[in-house]
Amino acid sequence: MEEITALAKRRGFIFQSSEIYGGIGGFFDYGPLGAILKRNVKDAWWREMVERRDDVVAFDSSIVMHPNVWVASGHVEAFHDKLVDCRNCKHRFRADHLSSLEKCPDCGMSGTLTEPRNFNLMLRTQIGPMEDSASLAYLRPETAQGIFVNFKNIYQSARKKPPFGVAQIGKAFRNEITPGNFTFRLREFEQAELEYFVPDDGNDMATYHEWVTARKQWYSDYGVKPERLRFYELTPEERPFYAKAGIDVEYLFPWGWGELESIAHRGTHDLDAHMKLSGKDLTFFDEATKAKYTPILIESSAGMDRTTLTMLIDAYDSEAIVDEGGKESKRVVLRFHPKIAPVQVGVFPLARNKPDLLERARSIERGLHSRFRAQYDEGNVGQLYRRQDEIGTPYCIMIDYQTLDDATVTVRDRDSMRQDRVAQDALAAYLEERT
Ligand code: ATP
């Protein structure tokens, strides 16, 4: 994990937020490559969950909503973690992360831990100029509620009838007691949520299983190693009382299994709760049958920062290689799926001091730019390859003297390190097929 954290900083994937002021716990920034990586992860989700389907519509709700949203959802009352303080070293712990309350795991003193007390995880803010309780508001701890409270607006305007879904990607905030494990547990993060509404016609569990399969396919399509991914089925005791089924999608991180996503059958709980508090009707009225009912909800809620971190960790590899002279060295490589890789094609001239090579390399890179995430670079050839391996670029194109004679280039494959000679005018098709 230390190697990955160092690489993430060195190559511009992830930086600590406000680093020059000493950082701030639970907040991170994405650097030039990390921003593209995360964008690609979100785009991959959006493509499969929204664009390629005709039964899911897009949504984008505000971060701050009426405080009653969080009363109805149960977050004001029950979105708590149990907090324990050490009176000696002043460290804070989540009670469910401690094996006993006898001894502080940090300073080792006995009898210094306080009794667990409730700590609400919602971040608060004030709206307007008056700092009184009337202006209290929360930064949303999840994106889903924005969809529930708009259910009627959405189905009426989009002319949708269950079964159909609503998808949204957006920021969420939680005042986590113990943020950590790099970007795994953040206080500001992004969620990608799908809320799929189905009629109560006996097919709800089948739809739930279809979504579980679709989500398995997604992780597999974007190259996450199957042996490091599991779909853990929650027992009735582990599920909220209203949920008929639930699965946690977990990845084997260097520190153990951690949740990436939760998929749940939530019954009619969420719409019922908002109808009760708001007094407004959020049932679905079927024009054809004149029937009125509250649809059942199947939810998939995935963390985009955790998924991005998963892609980074899962892609990381370090191997010993032997060069032509028999010298052994270490090669660090990020084996990103080509659809996720921030740079798909690196283009460089063999020598820096030959204007013809530079000009040709630049023009080839410009030609590829509209179809691929291409990057021009120049310098020492060994270092160029090392850098592109470390940022996970699947293909590197070298422009050499032969290119000037016969318009062919060398394409190096990141994973096999095999080099192919490809005609310049066949290059786009060659890359298209492989990325
Ligand atoms: P955990 O048990 O790890 O605190 P959770 O069960 O509270 O997570 P959910 O409320 O199910 O998480 O949220 C859905 C998804 O949102 C999670 O699977 C995770 O990917 C993401 N997520 C939740 N909390 C955080 C966080 N503090 N930092 C980053 N991502 C988060």
Side-chain angles (χ1 to χ4, degrees), residues 26 75 79 81 94 96-97 121 141-142 172-176 179 183-193 248-249 258-263 299-307:
H75 284 81
F79 194 50
D81 273 343
R94 253 171 74 169
D96 60 335
H97 287 174
L121 296 179
E142 59 174 39
F173 302 81
R174 296 183 187 180
N175 198 5
E176 296 280 356
T183 56
F184 180 80
R185 190 168 300 285
L186 298 168
R187 288 181 168 133
E188 173 178 342
F189 54 98
E190 264 182 287
Q191 287 185 320
E193 294 195 295
D248 281 352
V249 183
E259 180 187 317
L260 293 183
E261 165 174 356
S262 92
I263 307 170
E299 176 183 79
S300 149
S301 171
M304 292 292 97
D305 303 85
R306 286 187 187 177
T307 309

mmCIF file of all heavy atoms in Angstrom, residues 26 75 79 81 94 96-97 121 141-142 172-176 179 183-193 248-249 258-263 299-307, ligand 1:
data_model
loop_
_atom_site.group_PDB
_atom_site.id
_atom_site.type_symbol
_atom_site.label_atom_id
_atom_site.label_comp_id
_atom_site.label_asym_id
_atom_site.label_seq_id
_atom_site.Cartn_x
_atom_site.Cartn_y
_atom_site.Cartn_z
ATOM 1 N N GLY A 26 -9.390 12.703 5.843
ATOM 2 C CA GLY A 26 -10.583 12.211 5.147
ATOM 3 C C GLY A 26 -10.892 12.928 3.852
ATOM 4 O O GLY A 26 -11.970 12.735 3.282
ATOM 5 N N HIS A 75 -31.961 9.402 8.805
ATOM 6 C CA HIS A 75 -30.567 9.767 9.071
ATOM 7 C C HIS A 75 -30.403 10.650 10.314
ATOM 8 O O HIS A 75 -29.404 10.564 11.005
ATOM 9 C CB HIS A 75 -29.953 10.473 7.850
ATOM 10 C CG HIS A 75 -29.607 9.528 6.734
ATOM 11 N ND1 HIS A 75 -30.546 9.060 5.845
ATOM 12 C CD2 HIS A 75 -28.434 8.942 6.391
ATOM 13 C CE1 HIS A 75 -29.954 8.254 4.987
ATOM 14 N NE2 HIS A 75 -28.668 8.150 5.296
ATOM 15 N N PHE A 79 -28.507 7.759 11.917
ATOM 16 C CA PHE A 79 -27.269 7.594 11.137
ATOM 17 C C PHE A 79 -26.075 7.843 12.058
ATOM 18 O O PHE A 79 -25.377 8.838 11.964
ATOM 19 C CB PHE A 79 -27.262 8.553 9.938
ATOM 20 C CG PHE A 79 -26.208 8.228 8.915
ATOM 21 C CD1 PHE A 79 -26.064 6.944 8.425
ATOM 22 C CD2 PHE A 79 -25.353 9.199 8.428
ATOM 23 C CE1 PHE A 79 -25.096 6.629 7.477
ATOM 24 C CE2 PHE A 79 -24.388 8.912 7.482
ATOM 25 C CZ PHE A 79 -24.261 7.619 7.014
ATOM 26 N N ASP A 81 -22.651 6.318 14.350
ATOM 27 C CA ASP A 81 -21.671 5.299 14.718
ATOM 28 C C ASP A 81 -21.457 5.461 16.211
ATOM 29 O O ASP A 81 -21.624 6.558 16.757
ATOM 30 C CB ASP A 81 -20.343 5.511 13.973
ATOM 31 C CG ASP A 81 -20.357 4.823 12.614
ATOM 32 O OD1 ASP A 81 -21.223 3.951 12.415
ATOM 33 O OD2 ASP A 81 -19.532 5.184 11.770
ATOM 34 N N ARG A 94 -14.072 3.877 16.518
ATOM 35 C CA ARG A 94 -15.431 3.399 16.329
ATOM 36 C C ARG A 94 -15.566 2.156 17.181
ATOM 37 O O ARG A 94 -14.755 1.235 17.069
ATOM 38 C CB ARG A 94 -15.647 3.040 14.858
ATOM 39 C CG ARG A 94 -16.526 4.038 14.141
ATOM 40 C CD ARG A 94 -16.541 3.781 12.683
ATOM 41 N NE ARG A 94 -17.344 2.601 12.357
ATOM 42 C CZ ARG A 94 -17.683 2.276 11.120
ATOM 43 N NH1 ARG A 94 -17.295 3.025 10.110
ATOM 44 N NH2 ARG A 94 -18.400 1.208 10.889
ATOM 45 N N ASP A 96 -17.375 -0.357 17.033
ATOM 46 C CA ASP A 96 -17.453 -1.647 16.322
ATOM 47 C C ASP A 96 -16.108 -2.044 15.696
ATOM 48 O O ASP A 96 -15.977 -3.119 15.145
ATOM 49 C CB ASP A 96 -18.570 -1.628 15.263
ATOM 50 C CG ASP A 96 -18.360 -0.565 14.212
ATOM 51 O OD1 ASP A 96 -17.675 0.440 14.488
ATOM 52 O OD2 ASP A 96 -18.882 -0.728 13.093
ATOM 53 N N HIS A 97 -15.114 -1.159 15.772
ATOM 54 C CA HIS A 97 -13.782 -1.517 15.286
ATOM 55 C C HIS A 97 -12.882 -2.036 16.420
ATOM 56 O O HIS A 97 -11.737 -2.400 16.199
ATOM 57 C CB HIS A 97 -13.093 -0.317 14.614
ATOM 58 C CG HIS A 97 -13.676 0.006 13.272
ATOM 59 N ND1 HIS A 97 -13.303 1.116 12.538
ATOM 60 C CD2 HIS A 97 -14.613 -0.631 12.520
ATOM 61 C CE1 HIS A 97 -13.984 1.148 11.410
ATOM 62 N NE2 HIS A 97 -14.784 0.104 11.379
ATOM 63 N N LEU A 121 -23.228 11.002 11.827
ATOM 64 C CA LEU A 121 -22.204 11.133 10.780
ATOM 65 C C LEU A 121 -22.500 12.216 9.752
ATOM 66 O O LEU A 121 -21.701 12.450 8.852
ATOM 67 C CB LEU A 121 -22.057 9.801 10.044
ATOM 68 C CG LEU A 121 -21.549 8.626 10.883
ATOM 69 C CD1 LEU A 121 -21.479 7.366 10.048
ATOM 70 C CD2 LEU A 121 -20.173 8.943 11.450
ATOM 71 N N PRO A 141 -25.587 12.698 3.006
ATOM 72 C CA PRO A 141 -24.698 11.568 3.264
ATOM 73 C C PRO A 141 -24.843 10.465 2.222
ATOM 74 O O PRO A 141 -24.113 9.465 2.267
ATOM 75 C CB PRO A 141 -25.167 11.068 4.640
ATOM 76 C CG PRO A 141 -26.619 11.432 4.688
ATOM 77 C CD PRO A 141 -26.792 12.680 3.858
ATOM 78 N N GLU A 142 -25.791 10.621 1.305
ATOM 79 C CA GLU A 142 -25.966 9.691 0.190
ATOM 80 C C GLU A 142 -26.764 10.418 -0.881
ATOM 81 O O GLU A 142 -27.447 11.398 -0.580
ATOM 82 C CB GLU A 142 -26.712 8.428 0.636
ATOM 83 C CG GLU A 142 -28.090 8.705 1.204
ATOM 84 C CD GLU A 142 -28.892 7.452 1.520
ATOM 85 O OE1 GLU A 142 -28.289 6.477 2.007
ATOM 86 O OE2 GLU A 142 -30.110 7.453 1.274
ATOM 87 N N ALA A 172 -21.116 12.885 -1.828
ATOM 88 C CA ALA A 172 -21.788 12.632 -0.558
ATOM 89 C C ALA A 172 -20.765 12.908 0.547
ATOM 90 O O ALA A 172 -19.553 12.883 0.290
ATOM 91 C CB ALA A 172 -22.278 11.201 -0.493
ATOM 92 N N PHE A 173 -21.277 13.210 1.728
ATOM 93 C CA PHE A 173 -20.399 13.616 2.833
ATOM 94 C C PHE A 173 -20.753 12.842 4.098
ATOM 95 O O PHE A 173 -21.937 12.685 4.414
ATOM 96 C CB PHE A 173 -20.576 15.123 3.106
ATOM 97 C CG PHE A 173 -20.277 15.970 1.904
ATOM 98 C CD1 PHE A 173 -21.228 16.141 0.897
ATOM 99 C CD2 PHE A 173 -19.042 16.579 1.763
ATOM 100 C CE1 PHE A 173 -20.951 16.908 -0.228
ATOM 101 C CE2 PHE A 173 -18.758 17.359 0.643
ATOM 102 C CZ PHE A 173 -19.719 17.515 -0.353
ATOM 103 N N ARG A 174 -19.760 12.358 4.791
ATOM 104 C CA ARG A 174 -19.992 11.702 6.080
ATOM 105 C C ARG A 174 -18.848 12.068 7.008
ATOM 106 O O ARG A 174 -17.685 11.947 6.618
ATOM 107 C CB ARG A 174 -20.054 10.171 5.927
ATOM 108 C CG ARG A 174 -21.222 9.723 5.085
ATOM 109 C CD ARG A 174 -21.318 8.214 4.987
ATOM 110 N NE ARG A 174 -22.358 7.861 4.028
ATOM 111 C CZ ARG A 174 -22.703 6.628 3.707
ATOM 112 N NH1 ARG A 174 -22.088 5.602 4.288
ATOM 113 N NH2 ARG A 174 -23.665 6.404 2.827
ATOM 114 N N ASN A 175 -19.216 12.492 8.199
ATOM 115 C CA ASN A 175 -18.192 12.892 9.158
ATOM 116 C C ASN A 175 -17.626 11.634 9.839
ATOM 117 O O ASN A 175 -17.841 11.410 11.032
ATOM 118 C CB ASN A 175 -18.820 13.852 10.168
ATOM 119 C CG ASN A 175 -17.769 14.644 10.901
ATOM 120 O OD1 ASN A 175 -16.580 14.558 10.598
ATOM 121 N ND2 ASN A 175 -18.202 15.402 11.891
ATOM 122 N N GLU A 176 -16.934 10.819 9.067
ATOM 123 C CA GLU A 176 -16.431 9.536 9.561
ATOM 124 C C GLU A 176 -15.544 9.748 10.783
ATOM 125 O O GLU A 176 -14.717 10.665 10.811
ATOM 126 C CB GLU A 176 -15.622 8.836 8.464
ATOM 127 C CG GLU A 176 -16.420 8.452 7.230
ATOM 128 C CD GLU A 176 -17.216 7.172 7.406
ATOM 129 O OE1 GLU A 176 -17.099 6.519 8.468
ATOM 130 O OE2 GLU A 176 -17.974 6.817 6.468
ATOM 131 N N PRO A 179 -11.476 8.251 9.442
ATOM 132 C CA PRO A 179 -11.200 8.114 8.011
ATOM 133 C C PRO A 179 -9.847 7.421 7.847
ATOM 134 O O PRO A 179 -9.037 7.428 8.779
ATOM 135 C CB PRO A 179 -11.141 9.556 7.520
ATOM 136 C CG PRO A 179 -10.831 10.380 8.715
ATOM 137 C CD PRO A 179 -11.390 9.650 9.897
ATOM 138 N N THR A 183 -7.820 6.436 0.198
ATOM 139 C CA THR A 183 -9.122 6.998 -0.186
ATOM 140 C C THR A 183 -10.272 6.029 0.064
ATOM 141 O O THR A 183 -11.356 6.204 -0.473
ATOM 142 C CB THR A 183 -9.125 7.407 -1.670
ATOM 143 O OG1 THR A 183 -8.756 6.263 -2.438
ATOM 144 C CG2 THR A 183 -8.150 8.531 -1.932
ATOM 145 N N PHE A 184 -10.032 5.010 0.889
ATOM 146 C CA PHE A 184 -11.117 4.047 1.140
ATOM 147 C C PHE A 184 -12.213 4.687 1.985
ATOM 148 O O PHE A 184 -13.384 4.634 1.640
ATOM 149 C CB PHE A 184 -10.578 2.796 1.847
ATOM 150 C CG PHE A 184 -11.651 1.788 2.118
ATOM 151 C CD1 PHE A 184 -12.090 0.945 1.111
ATOM 152 C CD2 PHE A 184 -12.257 1.702 3.372
ATOM 153 C CE1 PHE A 184 -13.115 0.030 1.341
ATOM 154 C CE2 PHE A 184 -13.284 0.793 3.608
ATOM 155 C CZ PHE A 184 -13.702 -0.046 2.594
ATOM 156 N N ARG A 185 -11.833 5.269 3.117
ATOM 157 C CA ARG A 185 -12.838 5.889 3.976
ATOM 158 C C ARG A 185 -12.606 7.389 4.010
ATOM 159 O O ARG A 185 -11.683 7.887 4.639
ATOM 160 C CB ARG A 185 -12.782 5.290 5.391
ATOM 161 C CG ARG A 185 -13.958 5.727 6.267
ATOM 162 C CD ARG A 185 -14.062 4.933 7.547
ATOM 163 N NE ARG A 185 -14.242 3.515 7.313
ATOM 164 C CZ ARG A 185 -15.380 2.937 6.909
ATOM 165 N NH1 ARG A 185 -16.464 3.668 6.730
ATOM 166 N NH2 ARG A 185 -15.441 1.650 6.695
ATOM 167 N N LEU A 186 -13.462 8.107 3.294
ATOM 168 C CA LEU A 186 -13.333 9.552 3.137
ATOM 169 C C LEU A 186 -14.469 10.265 3.859
ATOM 170 O O LEU A 186 -15.473 9.645 4.207
ATOM 171 C CB LEU A 186 -13.403 9.907 1.645
ATOM 172 C CG LEU A 186 -12.313 9.328 0.751
ATOM 173 C CD1 LEU A 186 -12.671 9.519 -0.719
ATOM 174 C CD2 LEU A 186 -10.991 10.004 1.054
ATOM 175 N N ARG A 187 -14.297 11.555 4.022
ATOM 176 C CA ARG A 187 -15.411 12.353 4.564
ATOM 177 C C ARG A 187 -16.170 13.035 3.426
ATOM 178 O O ARG A 187 -17.305 13.454 3.594
ATOM 179 C CB ARG A 187 -14.879 13.372 5.574
ATOM 180 C CG ARG A 187 -14.437 12.656 6.864
ATOM 181 C CD ARG A 187 -13.926 13.626 7.905
ATOM 182 N NE ARG A 187 -13.780 12.985 9.199
ATOM 183 C CZ ARG A 187 -12.701 13.100 9.983
ATOM 184 N NH1 ARG A 187 -11.681 13.842 9.601
ATOM 185 N NH2 ARG A 187 -12.653 12.492 11.145
ATOM 186 N N GLU A 188 -15.521 13.172 2.297
ATOM 187 C CA GLU A 188 -16.190 13.679 1.085
ATOM 188 C C GLU A 188 -15.887 12.670 -0.015
ATOM 189 O O GLU A 188 -14.723 12.373 -0.276
ATOM 190 C CB GLU A 188 -15.625 15.050 0.705
ATOM 191 C CG GLU A 188 -16.148 15.541 -0.626
ATOM 192 C CD GLU A 188 -15.625 16.930 -1.009
ATOM 193 O OE1 GLU A 188 -15.129 17.665 -0.131
ATOM 194 O OE2 GLU A 188 -15.708 17.266 -2.187
ATOM 195 N N PHE A 189 -16.931 12.128 -0.626
ATOM 196 C CA PHE A 189 -16.702 11.099 -1.635
ATOM 197 C C PHE A 189 -17.818 11.135 -2.663
ATOM 198 O O PHE A 189 -18.775 11.900 -2.526
ATOM 199 C CB PHE A 189 -16.595 9.710 -0.987
ATOM 200 C CG PHE A 189 -17.771 9.334 -0.113
ATOM 201 C CD1 PHE A 189 -18.792 8.543 -0.601
ATOM 202 C CD2 PHE A 189 -17.841 9.783 1.201
ATOM 203 C CE1 PHE A 189 -19.878 8.195 0.202
ATOM 204 C CE2 PHE A 189 -18.924 9.433 2.010
ATOM 205 C CZ PHE A 189 -19.942 8.649 1.511
ATOM 206 N N GLU A 190 -17.669 10.310 -3.693
ATOM 207 C CA GLU A 190 -18.707 10.270 -4.723
ATOM 208 C C GLU A 190 -19.371 8.911 -4.764
ATOM 209 O O GLU A 190 -18.703 7.879 -4.675
ATOM 210 C CB GLU A 190 -18.116 10.601 -6.088
ATOM 211 C CG GLU A 190 -18.297 12.056 -6.427
ATOM 212 C CD GLU A 190 -17.772 12.406 -7.801
ATOM 213 O OE1 GLU A 190 -16.542 12.450 -7.951
ATOM 214 O OE2 GLU A 190 -18.584 12.631 -8.702
ATOM 215 N N GLN A 191 -20.680 8.948 -4.914
ATOM 216 C CA GLN A 191 -21.447 7.712 -5.049
ATOM 217 C C GLN A 191 -22.075 7.644 -6.428
ATOM 218 O O GLN A 191 -22.421 8.675 -7.012
ATOM 219 C CB GLN A 191 -22.586 7.689 -4.027
ATOM 220 C CG GLN A 191 -22.134 7.453 -2.604
ATOM 221 C CD GLN A 191 -23.313 7.310 -1.665
ATOM 222 O OE1 GLN A 191 -24.300 8.029 -1.794
ATOM 223 N NE2 GLN A 191 -23.210 6.388 -0.725
ATOM 224 N N ALA A 192 -22.228 6.432 -6.914
ATOM 225 C CA ALA A 192 -23.005 6.199 -8.133
ATOM 226 C C ALA A 192 -24.157 5.310 -7.707
ATOM 227 O O ALA A 192 -23.935 4.196 -7.232
ATOM 228 C CB ALA A 192 -22.156 5.506 -9.183
ATOM 229 N N GLU A 193 -25.355 5.851 -7.814
ATOM 230 C CA GLU A 193 -26.496 5.090 -7.306
ATOM 231 C C GLU A 193 -27.539 4.869 -8.387
ATOM 232 O O GLU A 193 -27.851 5.759 -9.178
ATOM 233 C CB GLU A 193 -27.122 5.806 -6.099
ATOM 234 C CG GLU A 193 -26.132 5.824 -4.927
ATOM 235 C CD GLU A 193 -26.760 6.168 -3.590
ATOM 236 O OE1 GLU A 193 -27.238 7.301 -3.439
ATOM 237 O OE2 GLU A 193 -26.766 5.309 -2.699
ATOM 238 N N ASP A 248 -23.273 -7.206 -0.231
ATOM 239 C CA ASP A 248 -22.163 -6.257 -0.231
ATOM 240 C C ASP A 248 -21.138 -6.754 -1.245
ATOM 241 O O ASP A 248 -20.704 -7.901 -1.163
ATOM 242 C CB ASP A 248 -21.486 -6.196 1.150
ATOM 243 C CG ASP A 248 -22.279 -5.333 2.133
ATOM 244 O OD1 ASP A 248 -23.258 -4.677 1.694
ATOM 245 O OD2 ASP A 248 -21.915 -5.314 3.325
ATOM 246 N N VAL A 249 -20.787 -5.890 -2.175
ATOM 247 C CA VAL A 249 -19.717 -6.238 -3.112
ATOM 248 C C VAL A 249 -18.420 -5.828 -2.437
ATOM 249 O O VAL A 249 -18.263 -4.665 -2.040
ATOM 250 C CB VAL A 249 -19.881 -5.488 -4.449
ATOM 251 C CG1 VAL A 249 -18.800 -5.936 -5.432
ATOM 252 C CG2 VAL A 249 -21.270 -5.722 -5.023
ATOM 253 N N GLY A 258 -13.027 -5.112 1.873
ATOM 254 C CA GLY A 258 -13.707 -3.836 2.133
ATOM 255 C C GLY A 258 -14.827 -3.638 1.122
ATOM 256 O O GLY A 258 -14.722 -4.074 -0.029
ATOM 257 N N GLU A 259 -15.896 -2.959 1.577
ATOM 258 C CA GLU A 259 -17.088 -2.813 0.726
ATOM 259 C C GLU A 259 -16.903 -1.781 -0.380
ATOM 260 O O GLU A 259 -16.464 -0.661 -0.124
ATOM 261 C CB GLU A 259 -18.263 -2.401 1.628
ATOM 262 C CG GLU A 259 -19.568 -2.227 0.866
ATOM 263 C CD GLU A 259 -20.685 -1.649 1.729
ATOM 264 O OE1 GLU A 259 -20.846 -2.085 2.895
ATOM 265 O OE2 GLU A 259 -21.402 -0.759 1.221
ATOM 266 N N LEU A 260 -17.285 -2.178 -1.592
ATOM 267 C CA LEU A 260 -17.264 -1.257 -2.735
ATOM 268 C C LEU A 260 -18.655 -0.757 -3.065
ATOM 269 O O LEU A 260 -18.844 0.336 -3.585
ATOM 270 C CB LEU A 260 -16.774 -1.984 -3.998
ATOM 271 C CG LEU A 260 -15.341 -2.450 -4.050
ATOM 272 C CD1 LEU A 260 -15.072 -3.075 -5.395
ATOM 273 C CD2 LEU A 260 -14.441 -1.260 -3.832
ATOM 274 N N GLU A 261 -19.602 -1.618 -2.810
ATOM 275 C CA GLU A 261 -20.959 -1.341 -3.287
ATOM 276 C C GLU A 261 -21.943 -2.161 -2.473
ATOM 277 O O GLU A 261 -21.595 -3.246 -1.999
ATOM 278 C CB GLU A 261 -21.022 -1.773 -4.770
ATOM 279 C CG GLU A 261 -22.413 -1.889 -5.339
ATOM 280 C CD GLU A 261 -22.416 -2.185 -6.839
ATOM 281 O OE1 GLU A 261 -21.342 -2.225 -7.471
ATOM 282 O OE2 GLU A 261 -23.525 -2.374 -7.376
ATOM 283 N N SER A 262 -23.147 -1.623 -2.336
ATOM 284 C CA SER A 262 -24.170 -2.475 -1.735
ATOM 285 C C SER A 262 -25.353 -2.542 -2.696
ATOM 286 O O SER A 262 -25.718 -1.548 -3.330
ATOM 287 C CB SER A 262 -24.546 -1.965 -0.339
ATOM 288 O OG SER A 262 -25.626 -1.087 -0.418
ATOM 289 N N ILE A 263 -25.895 -3.749 -2.833
ATOM 290 C CA ILE A 263 -27.057 -3.961 -3.700
ATOM 291 C C ILE A 263 -28.169 -4.452 -2.775
ATOM 292 O O ILE A 263 -27.930 -5.358 -1.971
ATOM 293 C CB ILE A 263 -26.762 -5.023 -4.787
ATOM 294 C CG1 ILE A 263 -25.484 -4.655 -5.553
ATOM 295 C CG2 ILE A 263 -27.939 -5.179 -5.746
ATOM 296 C CD1 ILE A 263 -24.975 -5.752 -6.482
ATOM 297 N N GLU A 299 -31.885 -1.320 -5.224
ATOM 298 C CA GLU A 299 -30.857 -0.273 -5.224
ATOM 299 C C GLU A 299 -29.461 -0.854 -5.422
ATOM 300 O O GLU A 299 -29.128 -1.893 -4.869
ATOM 301 C CB GLU A 299 -30.884 0.467 -3.872
ATOM 302 C CG GLU A 299 -29.788 1.509 -3.730
ATOM 303 C CD GLU A 299 -29.782 2.171 -2.355
ATOM 304 O OE1 GLU A 299 -29.260 1.552 -1.395
ATOM 305 O OE2 GLU A 299 -30.301 3.287 -2.230
ATOM 306 N N SER A 300 -28.675 -0.144 -6.234
ATOM 307 C CA SER A 300 -27.240 -0.439 -6.291
ATOM 308 C C SER A 300 -26.524 0.858 -5.947
ATOM 309 O O SER A 300 -26.737 1.887 -6.589
ATOM 310 C CB SER A 300 -26.860 -0.914 -7.696
ATOM 311 O OG SER A 300 -25.534 -0.537 -7.989
ATOM 312 N N SER A 301 -25.691 0.804 -4.920
ATOM 313 C CA SER A 301 -25.025 2.017 -4.454
ATOM 314 C C SER A 301 -23.521 1.753 -4.382
ATOM 315 O O SER A 301 -23.055 1.002 -3.533
ATOM 316 C CB SER A 301 -25.587 2.372 -3.073
ATOM 317 O OG SER A 301 -24.837 3.409 -2.500
ATOM 318 N N ALA A 302 -22.786 2.365 -5.302
ATOM 319 C CA ALA A 302 -21.350 2.081 -5.405
ATOM 320 C C ALA A 302 -20.545 3.340 -5.119
ATOM 321 O O ALA A 302 -20.929 4.443 -5.512
ATOM 322 C CB ALA A 302 -21.013 1.555 -6.797
ATOM 323 N N GLY A 303 -19.423 3.185 -4.443
ATOM 324 C CA GLY A 303 -18.540 4.323 -4.161
ATOM 325 C C GLY A 303 -17.545 4.478 -5.305
ATOM 326 O O GLY A 303 -16.823 3.543 -5.630
ATOM 327 N N MET A 304 -17.530 5.652 -5.914
ATOM 328 C CA MET A 304 -16.634 5.851 -7.064
ATOM 329 C C MET A 304 -15.170 6.026 -6.646
ATOM 330 O O MET A 304 -14.265 5.676 -7.376
ATOM 331 C CB MET A 304 -17.105 7.039 -7.905
ATOM 332 C CG MET A 304 -18.432 6.788 -8.612
ATOM 333 S SD MET A 304 -18.332 5.523 -9.921
ATOM 334 C CE MET A 304 -18.891 4.045 -9.088
ATOM 335 N N ASP A 305 -14.942 6.573 -5.432
ATOM 336 C CA ASP A 305 -13.552 6.697 -4.977
ATOM 337 C C ASP A 305 -12.996 5.328 -4.616
ATOM 338 O O ASP A 305 -11.859 5.004 -4.936
ATOM 339 C CB ASP A 305 -13.486 7.643 -3.770
ATOM 340 C CG ASP A 305 -14.069 8.993 -4.114
ATOM 341 O OD1 ASP A 305 -15.314 9.141 -4.002
ATOM 342 O OD2 ASP A 305 -13.333 9.873 -4.539
ATOM 343 N N ARG A 306 -13.833 4.524 -3.959
ATOM 344 C CA ARG A 306 -13.382 3.164 -3.620
ATOM 345 C C ARG A 306 -13.167 2.335 -4.886
ATOM 346 O O ARG A 306 -12.248 1.521 -4.939
ATOM 347 C CB ARG A 306 -14.395 2.481 -2.699
ATOM 348 C CG ARG A 306 -14.344 3.016 -1.300
ATOM 349 C CD ARG A 306 -15.233 2.222 -0.359
ATOM 350 N NE ARG A 306 -15.281 2.884 0.941
ATOM 351 C CZ ARG A 306 -16.023 2.470 1.955
ATOM 352 N NH1 ARG A 306 -16.783 1.398 1.822
ATOM 353 N NH2 ARG A 306 -16.021 3.119 3.092
ATOM 354 N N THR A 307 -14.011 2.541 -5.884
ATOM 355 C CA THR A 307 -13.834 1.774 -7.127
ATOM 356 C C THR A 307 -12.566 2.241 -7.845
ATOM 357 O O THR A 307 -11.820 1.431 -8.384
ATOM 358 C CB THR A 307 -15.080 1.929 -8.035
ATOM 359 O OG1 THR A 307 -16.235 1.633 -7.250
ATOM 360 C CG2 THR A 307 -15.032 0.989 -9.209
HETATM 361 P P1 ATP B 1 -19.007 1.322 5.418
HETATM 362 O O1 ATP B 1 -19.627 0.115 6.107
HETATM 363 O O2 ATP B 1 -17.688 1.031 4.759
HETATM 364 O O3 ATP B 1 -18.973 2.555 6.283
HETATM 365 P P2 ATP B 1 -21.598 1.781 4.324
HETATM 366 O O4 ATP B 1 -22.185 0.405 4.414
HETATM 367 O O5 ATP B 1 -21.970 2.791 5.330
HETATM 368 O O6 ATP B 1 -19.976 1.679 4.216
HETATM 369 P P3 ATP B 1 -23.287 2.588 2.176
HETATM 370 O O7 ATP B 1 -24.078 3.496 3.040
HETATM 371 O O8 ATP B 1 -23.880 1.289 1.756
HETATM 372 O O9 ATP B 1 -21.852 2.342 2.867
HETATM 373 O O10 ATP B 1 -22.805 3.426 0.914
HETATM 374 C C1 ATP B 1 -22.686 2.879 -0.379
HETATM 375 C C2 ATP B 1 -21.272 2.983 -0.897
HETATM 376 O O11 ATP B 1 -20.765 4.298 -0.735
HETATM 377 C C3 ATP B 1 -20.274 2.096 -0.164
HETATM 378 O O12 ATP B 1 -20.313 0.776 -0.654
HETATM 379 C C4 ATP B 1 -18.963 2.779 -0.467
HETATM 380 O O13 ATP B 1 -18.443 2.375 -1.728
HETATM 381 C C5 ATP B 1 -19.355 4.241 -0.533
HETATM 382 N N1 ATP B 1 -18.980 4.870 0.740
HETATM 383 C C6 ATP B 1 -19.671 4.888 1.887
HETATM 384 N N2 ATP B 1 -19.011 5.545 2.848
HETATM 385 C C7 ATP B 1 -17.851 5.963 2.283
HETATM 386 C C8 ATP B 1 -16.724 6.700 2.765
HETATM 387 N N3 ATP B 1 -16.682 7.161 4.008
HETATM 388 N N4 ATP B 1 -15.700 6.928 1.900
HETATM 389 C C9 ATP B 1 -15.740 6.483 0.634
HETATM 390 N N5 ATP B 1 -16.771 5.779 0.129
HETATM 391 C C10 ATP B 1 -17.817 5.528 0.936
#
